[in-house]
Amino acid sequence: MTRFRHAAAGLLVPAAVLAVGLMFAHHPMIVSGLDRVQAEPVDPRLINYILEHSYRWLSGAPCHKSLSDPPIYYPTPNVLAFSDTLLTVAPLYWPWRAAGLAADTSYQLWLLGLSALNFLAAYLALRRCLGLGELGSAAGAFLFAFSAPRVSQVVHPQLYTQFYTVLMLGSLWLAFNRRDDPAWRRGLYWLGAFLGLAAQAYAAVYLAWFLALGGA
């Protein structure tokens, strides 16, 4: 029981910081009861359309039979490649639509989910890789997920999909700093780094490009 209480108490700090961060970054949506969508009508509509296309493809809608061919710019093929595909972050959108929520509401919850995952990924990386304390990790995760450079990109929500970058960097850190681990475990570290980069590319190609460039 004591161990359980200690673990629960340890979750209070990151949970509280996450709640503050979500309110800080997404208060227009939250305070309105999801009546308002952040933040302007260009990229958010495009991203919502791409997410909706992938959901309708998954559910077998007649006009969305090909994942790579959304029904726009007909008869041009492979239109999905004209933008970020969002394939590795669309699964965060699908359950809301499957539950019967509207497309715009599902988009809002998807955006909140991205912010939460950015925070949680950074928090775990700082705790497990760098060994920071709960408060330090929560503060660093807050900066990663909710600082001005991130929040200002709410008009380009595809740039919120950066938790895969943390997966890659965290995996690389483990690969280079835990060389005494068994070979199979070190192989998993390298696999995690590769999958993190690939997943980032299928989520937002700009972030993947700068990740590869910065890593090199």
Side-chain angles (χ1 to χ4, degrees):
M1 182 64 69
T2 302
R3 181 179 299 180
F4 175 78
R5 289 178 179 175
H6 181 74
L11 294 176
L12 290 178
V13 171
V17 175
L18 173 59
V20 170
L22 289 175
M23 182 60 71
F24 172 76
H26 302 293
H27 62 274
M29 291 194 307
I30 297 173
V31 173
S32 72
L34 300 184
D35 284 339
R36 300 178 63 188
V37 178
Q38 291 174 278
E40 52 90 41
V42 182
D43 263 10
R45 284 184 178 177
L46 171 63
I47 298 305
N48 200 170
Y49 178 84
I50 294 173
L51 293 169
E52 182 66 12
H53 164 68
S54 68
Y55 170 74
R56 296 197 179 196
W57 165 79
L58 189 67
S59 58
C63 293
H64 299 264
K65 291 182 178 180
S66 174
L67 180 61
S68 62
D69 297 315
I72 52 177
Y73 298 143
Y74 180 84
T76 304
N78 299 320
V79 173
L80 189 63
F82 291 4
S83 180
D84 295 298
T85 65
L86 305 176
L87 293 179
T88 50
V89 290
L92 297 174
Y93 174 87
W94 299 337
W96 303 116
R97 290 290 285 124
L101 298 180
D104 56 346
T105 305
S106 299
Y107 167 81
Q108 293 168 302
L109 295 173
W110 173 82
L111 187 59
L112 291 171
L114 293 183
S115 287
L117 283 175
N118 282 334
F119 177 88
L120 292 174
Y123 179 82
L124 290 175
L126 292 171
R127 283 285 283 163
R128 300 295 176 85
C129 294
L130 299 186
L132 299 184
E134 295 165 359
L135 183 59
S137 298
F142 183 93
L143 289 176
F144 180 78
F146 304 115
S147 61
R150 179 79 61 197
V151 175
S152 66
Q153 296 301 328
V154 72
V155 295
H156 307 297
Q158 64 272 33
L159 299 181
Y160 266 57
T161 62
Q162 206 169 15
F163 45 89
Y164 288 121
T165 291
V166 179
L167 171 62
M168 178 188 171
L169 295 178
S171 298
L172 286 177
W173 189 95
L174 292 172
F176 283 107
N177 287 276
R178 295 191 177 179
R179 298 184 181 181
D180 294 333
D181 285 358
W184 66 268
R185 186 171 293 176
R186 285 184 282 115
L188 289 178
Y189 300 153
W190 286 106
L191 178 62
F194 173 79
L195 292 178
L197 178 60
Q200 187 64 80
Y202 280 104
V205 69
Y206 297 107
L207 294 177
W209 164 250
F210 286 112
L211 173 59
L213 186 64

